[in-house]
Amino acid sequence: MIKLSLPDAEATRALGTLLGQALPAGSVILLEGELGAGKTTFVQGIATGLGIVDAIVSPTFTLINEYLEGRIPLYHLDLYRLQPSEVSALQPEIYWEGIETPLGIVAIEWAEKLPYLPPSYLRVSLTYSSDGSRFVEFTVFGSFEMEKLIENLF
């Protein structure tokens, strides 16, 4: 586990950019944190790191946004409004398994609502304080390669 302090939203975006430049296809990022903690800002940075020029917005109502024009695809899911049974109906595994879509990076906001987890993933927990500063905690599950990549970045 790695914990970092981020002074502001721009630092959160920059950290996401760094990851977007380094993560391989098949990476799954499960984002957790309160409203306003920086989950979407972090995903915007990932998109920048992938070379995606489209505006990245949280898919709170569309549920899934697919960005295919970057170095590798980015699949951005937002589970905020859903119950676990509704999440199952989305079949998020098609994105992390590459069943019907090319493998890319899967970024899932409100990931604690997933009724089941992928075999390997990077959990990104974001918190913030009243002064606008933020903290991020990275925890890798099930992937030695991802663990090494994160350790080498920080």
Side-chain angles (χ1 to χ4, degrees):
M1 175 178 59
I2 296 172
K3 188 171 185 175
L4 302 170
S5 175
L6 301 167
D8 53 28
E10 194 49 47
T12 303
R13 189 174 288 107
L15 183 59
T17 300
L18 182 66
L19 274 179
Q21 293 168 338
L23 290 173
S27 298
V28 180
I29 303 164
L30 304 184
L31 295 133
E32 301 174 352
E34 297 176 26
L35 281 171
K39 296 180 294 296
T40 301
T41 302
F42 190 81
V43 175
Q44 289 168 343
I46 291 170
T48 298
L50 290 171
I52 296 169
V53 296
D54 289 346
I56 306 298
V57 295
S58 183
T60 302
F61 295 100
T62 59
L63 305 179
I64 302 170
N65 287 336
E66 298 180 359
Y67 304 94
L68 306 176
E69 74 278 0
R71 174 176 64 84
I72 54 177
L74 172 63
Y75 306 108
H76 185 194
L77 290 74
D78 187 325
L79 309 180
Y80 179 70
R81 300 177 47 226
L82 301 179
Q83 298 301 316
S85 62
E86 295 170 308
V87 173
S88 293
L90 286 178
Q91 299 179 309
E93 67 276 5
I94 67 172
Y95 293 100
W96 64 66
E97 292 176 0
I99 294 173
E100 296 176 14
T101 59
L103 276 178
I105 293 176
V106 181
I108 304 175
E109 295 189 39
W110 301 97
E112 59 271 19
K113 294 191 175 203
L114 282 168
Y116 48 87
L117 299 171
S120 64
Y121 58 93
L122 172 63
R123 185 180 70 205
V124 177
S125 298
L126 292 151
T127 56
Y128 64 97
S129 61
S130 58
D131 68 358
S133 63
R134 301 167 188 227
F135 298 90
V136 63
E137 184 176 292
F138 295 108
T139 311
V140 177
F141 292 88
S143 172
F144 179 75
E145 293 81 16
M146 176 72 76
E147 189 172 326
K148 289 298 173 198
L149 183 139
I150 296 300
E151 286 176 4
N152 289 335
L153 284 176
F154 309 107

